[in-house]
């Protein structure tokens, strides 16, 4: 059997890669993909702990995370389309209307 | 090493590799395709955790619906007309990498303390663990209120997505 800690460390690595996408990329689409990676890392953690405790409740939580990710992707991509239509850019650090 | 462990390390390696490709690819299309690969390898890991139902949902919802949405948006936006992405300043990139490595180190130290392998499933537990019937029973009894809240969330998201992406708001 693979120890649970290996699954958890893999999930941590996946979360950190998602966070790296938020920190070093400027393209809004890639930033969204980073958020999806972080949500998947959360799912993997839920399922690993569910397996360790022999409980199905973690699977229900993972189901809800998938549903929330679907809602987030739909709204987020709609905002990306609206921004690119109005501003002609996808680079998040050129959107600084609120700063001035 | 058991077959399960071999499969785990293969899936884990390819999950990390394709997730890294998502972040470092220059072209958003390449990022999107390697994100699909990441989701498939993650579904394999979910099967190793006996989460068959979630693995199937992962392939259908993530690799199917969400990624098709991403690819459609990339297609719609006509990225060749957009300004190219320039690299962030070196300081910002180094800071991002350092923050990520520090977070991963802290998480790995803490999570490494979770000890023990899960006990093997036997008998009736093996027959019901992670099945669609068992998840359905939980959703429609104990977790009914959150389930209904999620359905309202999806409805609101659907209406909101149509409203936000309309030409004139």
């Amino acid at each position: 059997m693979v120890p649970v800690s290996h699954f958890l460390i893999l999930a941590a690595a996946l979360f950190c890669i998602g966070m790296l996408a938020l920190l070093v990329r400027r393209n809004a689409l890639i930033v969204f993909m980073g958020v999806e990676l972080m949500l998947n890392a959360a799912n993997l953690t839920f399922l690993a702990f569910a397996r360790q405790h022999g409980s199905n409740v973690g699977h229900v939580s993972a189901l809800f995370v998938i549903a929330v990710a679907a809602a987030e992707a739909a709204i987020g991509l709609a905002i990306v389309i609206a921004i690119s239509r109005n501003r002609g850019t996808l680079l998040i650090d050129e959107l600084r209307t609120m700063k001035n | 090493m058991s077959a399960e462990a071999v499969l785990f390390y293969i899936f884990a390696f390819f999950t990390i590799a394709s997730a890294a490709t998502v972040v470092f690819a220059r072209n958003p299309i390449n990022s999107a395709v390697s994100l699909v690969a990441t989701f498939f390898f993650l579904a394999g890991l979910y099967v190793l955790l006996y989460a068959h139902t979630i693995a199937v949902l992962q392939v259908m919802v993530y690799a199917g619906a969400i990624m098709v949405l991403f690819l459609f948006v990339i297609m719609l936006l006509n990225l060749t007309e957009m300004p190219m992405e320039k690299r962030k300043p070196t300081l910002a990139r180094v800071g991002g990498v350092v923050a990520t490595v520090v977070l991963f180190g802290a998480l790995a130290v803490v999570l490494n303390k979770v000890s023990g392998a899960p006990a093997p499933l036997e008998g009736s537990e093996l027959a019901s663990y992670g099945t669609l019937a068992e998840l359905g029973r939980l959703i429609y009894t104990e977790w009914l209120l959150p389930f209904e809240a999620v359905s309202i969330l999806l409805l609101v998201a659907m209406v909101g997505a149509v409203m936000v992406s309309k030409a004139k708001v």
Side-chain angles (χ1 to χ4, degrees):
Chain A
M1 297 300 289
V2 182
V4 177
S5 56
H6 288 198
F7 280 99
L8 295 174
I9 289 174
L10 174 65
L14 205 58
F15 185 90
C16 291
I17 292 175
M19 195 180 87
L20 192 63
L22 298 195
L23 291 176
V24 303
R25 293 299 298 252
R26 291 174 156 167
N27 190 324
L29 283 168
I30 311 278
V31 169
F32 267 115
M33 291 179 198
V35 175
E36 300 292 337
L37 283 179
M38 290 159 92
L39 286 167
N40 267 283
N43 260 351
L44 188 57
T45 313
F46 270 127
L47 294 175
F49 276 119
R51 178 73 185 87
Q52 193 186 21
H53 294 282
S55 149
N56 275 312
V57 176
H59 295 207
V60 177
S61 310
L63 194 74
F64 291 151
V65 171
I66 290 180
V68 170
E72 178 254 295
I75 294 285
L77 291 174
I79 293 176
V80 167
I81 290 183
I83 286 177
S84 73
R85 192 178 278 149
N86 290 329
R87 303 293 191 81
T89 180
L90 275 184
L91 307 184
I92 45 179
D93 43 6
E94 287 179 14
L95 306 171
R96 51 179 75 190
T97 317
M98 298 276 273
K99 201 171 174 183
N100 305 315
Chain B
M1 229 165 36
S2 65
E4 202 182 338
V6 173
L7 278 177
F8 171 79
Y9 290 111
I10 292 174
F11 284 143
F13 173 77
F14 282 109
T15 306
I16 296 294
S18 50
T21 315
V22 172
V23 181
F24 296 115
R26 304 296 300 162
N27 187 339
I29 298 264
N30 293 350
S31 293
V33 173
S34 37
L35 193 56
V36 176
T38 313
F39 290 154
F40 271 104
F41 291 122
L42 270 171
L45 287 168
Y46 294 171
V47 171
L48 289 182
L49 287 168
Y50 287 79
H52 335 94
T53 313
I54 302 296
V56 171
L57 279 175
Q58 167 90 1
V59 171
M60 286 201 305
V61 177
Y62 265 114
I66 295 184
M67 288 323 296
V68 168
L69 195 62
F70 263 100
L71 288 171
F72 260 112
V73 168
I74 292 175
M75 234 166 55
L76 255 171
L77 287 179
N78 196 3
L79 291 174
T80 47
E81 288 174 7
M82 299 279 169
M84 277 296 288
E85 178 178 2
K86 293 188 293 289
R87 285 172 180 277
K88 279 199 175 182
T90 312
L91 190 63
R93 279 187 293 145
V94 171
V97 171
V98 168
T100 309
V101 169
V102 168
L103 177 68
F104 178 68
L107 283 175
V109 168
V110 173
L111 294 175
N112 211 14
K113 296 219 187 301
V114 177
S115 60
L121 296 168
E122 284 165 356
S124 64
E125 207 187 7
L126 180 62
S128 75
Y129 186 78
T131 56
L132 191 55
E134 185 60 22
L135 288 193
R137 193 188 63 73
L138 276 174
I139 285 173
Y140 283 103
T141 53
E142 273 178 69
W143 297 83
L144 186 60
L145 184 65
F147 179 66
E148 294 297 336
V150 163
S151 66
I152 293 175
L153 172 75
L154 283 174
L155 178 70
V156 171
M158 198 171 71
V159 176
V162 173
M163 279 298 293
V164 170
S165 56
K166 268 201 316 192
K168 288 279 174 226
V169 180

